């Protein structure tokens, strides 16, 4: 499988990115209620223009995306149909190519994502009791361990 990476095409592409986000969140964020998912879904379109978006395309389909800025990975989501097929790794490597000292936060209650980042050499350097919206979803703060 070939993963093509490209810059996002701006607001016209945001509805598809939101579909990818929803698919990823519904597959991995089982700690969120349906109401929580809707709360965050309403916020995502406002976050997208604030980051540098990279889109992963497989066989002509948007399979995932990441958002970076200021040396931070602010978001990385892979559509459930493409999980475990190298899309997340491709997006993360691209971000690391631009920001070798990349930092990121991951939901503590999402062990799949935490494990993915640990396998990529990230280590926990801190923890917050709440997420960026002040809601009770703890975040782990990660950076690259020493190689």
């Amino acid at each position: 499988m070939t993963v093509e990476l490209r810059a996002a095409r701006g607001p016209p592409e945001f509805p598809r990115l939101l579909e990818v986000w929803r698919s990823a969140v519904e597959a991995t964020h089982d700690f969120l209620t349906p109401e929580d998912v809707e709360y965050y879904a309403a916020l995502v379109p406002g976050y997208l223009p604030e980051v540098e978006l990279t889109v992963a395309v497989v066989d002509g389909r948007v399979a995932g995306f990441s958002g970076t800025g200021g040396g931070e990975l602010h978001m990385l989501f892979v559509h459930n149909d493409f999980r475990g097929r190298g899309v997340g790794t491709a997006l993360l490597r691209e971000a690391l190519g631009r920001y070798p000292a990349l930092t990121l936060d991951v939901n503590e209650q999402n062990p799949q994502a935490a494990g993915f980042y640990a396998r990529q050499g990230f280590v926990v350097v801190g923890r917050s009791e709440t997420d960026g919206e002040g809601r009770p979803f703890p975040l782990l703060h990660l950076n690259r361990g020493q190689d």
Side-chain angles (χ1 to χ4, degrees):
M1 181 181 85
T2 302
V3 179
E4 171 199 339
L5 300 178
R6 62 167 172 76
R9 296 183 174 143
E13 190 165 45
F14 291 175
R16 176 61 184 149
L17 299 184
L18 185 59
E19 289 174 18
V20 169
W21 174 89
R22 184 179 294 278
S23 172
V25 167
E26 289 176 350
T28 61
H29 291 59
D30 56 5
F31 55 93
L32 296 176
T33 66
E35 293 78 17
D36 291 327
V37 173
E38 292 308 316
Y39 171 85
Y40 290 108
L43 297 175
V44 170
Y47 295 151
L48 297 177
E50 303 298 318
V51 295
E52 184 177 344
L53 291 167
T54 300
V55 175
V57 178
V58 175
D59 296 329
R61 273 185 74 195
V62 174
F65 70 94
S66 65
T68 57
E72 251 185 280
L73 180 67
H74 294 283
M75 56 185 77
L76 190 157
F77 294 97
V78 176
H79 192 284
N80 193 43
D81 291 349
F82 294 94
R83 286 180 57 231
R85 297 174 59 190
V87 173
T89 299
L91 286 163
L92 182 60
R93 286 185 181 156
E94 188 276 336
L96 283 165
R98 287 184 290 116
Y99 301 108
L102 190 70
T103 62
L104 61 99
D105 292 340
V106 66
N107 287 105
E108 182 177 65
Q109 296 159 294
N110 185 350
Q112 293 174 52
F116 167 75
Y117 292 116
R119 288 188 300 278
Q120 302 294 327
F122 284 82
V123 296
V124 176
V125 295
R127 181 181 184 276
S128 298
E129 284 293 323
T130 58
D131 68 10
E133 298 298 321
R135 300 187 88 205
F137 302 112
L139 295 177
L140 300 175
H141 311 298
L142 308 177
N143 69 20
R144 286 300 289 268
Q146 299 299 318
D147 291 332

